[in-house]
Amino acid sequence: MAEGLRERKKRQTRQRISDMATGLFLERGFDAVTVAEIAQVCDVSVNTVYNYFPAKEDLFLDRSAGLVDRLARFVRGRDAGESAAAAVLRELREQVEAVSPTVGLVQGYDRFMRVIEGSATLKARLWHLQQEQLTRLEETLRQEAGAAADDWLPLMVAGQLNWVHSTLMGYIGREMMTGRAPDEVSREALALLDDLEDALGGKVLNYAVRAGG
């Protein structure tokens, strides 16, 4: 269905508020900027800002919904004959090889990370997002494997795959903050992924293989 005028204006307003807020955060730090300042710069009311973003953290981490569902989405989209772990590793490798902004391999990512590092509030929100990602992945694995409610394997596999993702993203973030070029970090991140895969056990690597392969 085509986007209506009202919906388009709301989307554009939301994007403008997010962009302006992010610019202020990058310039001055997250804690130094108030929602009232953001509203003033955007020429909207404080209530309007909160209508689009329930919390101040949402202004900076405005793509968190995609992060929470990322690993679960990889699992749901796995190929026939492919396990959940194989799908996650494949998708992550493809993004790292492509030097993709989705895994932080882009100039300017260091500024984004420094804002997070400078704010306990943002670090706490990021931790909660990672826990939501873990929960979403466990639920998806349980559904895809048809696991019983008391089966602990979906939680174990989800925990290991979440560890792979967080370790990879943590490495990329730290390296990008040193000022290195994205393509250099990409090559080393691929080697790290190989080592992370080697650390996974057979139960994890062979869990939830999609039928038909």
Side-chain angles (χ1 to χ4, degrees), residues 149-171:
D150 60 352
D151 188 349
W152 54 267
L153 262 177
L155 175 60
M156 185 194 79
V157 174
Q160 291 290 292
L161 296 181
N162 205 48
W163 164 74
V164 167
H165 180 259
S166 63
T167 301
L168 174 69
M169 295 303 296
Y171 173 79

Side-chain angles (χ1 to χ4, degrees), residues 128-175:
H128 280 289
L129 289 173
Q130 291 168 345
Q131 297 310 299
E132 289 179 32
Q133 182 182 63
L134 172 61
T135 299
R136 185 77 57 86
L137 179 58
E138 180 195 352
E139 292 170 348
T140 298
L141 288 170
R142 197 170 292 280
Q143 293 170 358
E144 293 289 316
D150 60 352
D151 188 349
W152 54 267
L153 262 177
L155 175 60
M156 185 194 79
V157 174
Q160 291 290 292
L161 296 181
N162 205 48
W163 164 74
V164 167
H165 180 259
S166 63
T167 301
L168 174 69
M169 295 303 296
Y171 173 79
I172 290 174
R174 288 192 299 273
E175 293 302 308

Side-chain angles (χ1 to χ4, degrees), residues 63-83:
R63 298 181 182 178
S64 59
L67 171 65
V68 167
D69 196 51
R70 175 186 286 181
L71 301 185
R73 186 172 66 252
F74 293 165
V75 170
R76 292 193 300 269
R78 70 195 186 283
D79 298 329
E82 189 174 40
S83 71

Side-chain angles (χ1 to χ4, degrees), residues 23-154:
L24 291 172
F25 294 145
L26 290 173
E27 180 183 347
R28 294 166 48 198
F30 182 79
D31 296 334
V33 178
T34 67
V35 174
E37 288 179 274
I38 294 167
Q40 183 177 17
V41 169
C42 296
D43 195 26
V44 297
S45 69
V46 170
N47 284 340
T48 296
V49 175
Y50 281 121
N51 284 340
Y52 287 99
F53 301 94
K56 182 183 171 185
E57 304 93 275
D58 297 323
L59 285 157
F60 191 70
L61 299 170
D62 61 328
R63 298 181 182 178
S64 59
L67 171 65
V68 167
D69 196 51
R70 175 186 286 181
L71 301 185
R73 186 172 66 252
F74 293 165
V75 170
R76 292 193 300 269
R78 70 195 186 283
D79 298 329
E82 189 174 40
S83 71
V88 169
L89 289 163
R90 173 178 54 78
E91 292 278 2
L92 291 176
R93 279 198 180 92
E94 288 175 357
Q95 292 180 11
V96 172
E97 286 177 345
V99 194
S100 172
T102 59
V103 287
L105 292 169
V106 61
Q107 294 291 349
Y109 189 66
D110 58 319
R111 297 180 65 200
F112 178 84
M113 289 302 301
R114 285 192 179 91
V115 174
I116 293 177
E117 288 297 317
S119 171
T121 302
L122 283 178
K123 285 191 283 189
R125 171 57 69 87
L126 195 58
W127 183 86
H128 280 289
L129 289 173
Q130 291 168 345
Q131 297 310 299
E132 289 179 32
Q133 182 182 63
L134 172 61
T135 299
R136 185 77 57 86
L137 179 58
E138 180 195 352
E139 292 170 348
T140 298
L141 288 170
R142 197 170 292 280
Q143 293 170 358
E144 293 289 316
D150 60 352
D151 188 349
W152 54 267
L153 262 177

Side-chain angles (χ1 to χ4, degrees), residues 12-23:
Q12 291 172 342
T13 298
R14 186 185 191 282
Q15 188 63 54
R16 182 167 62 87
I17 294 172
S18 175
D19 290 346
M20 296 294 287
T22 298

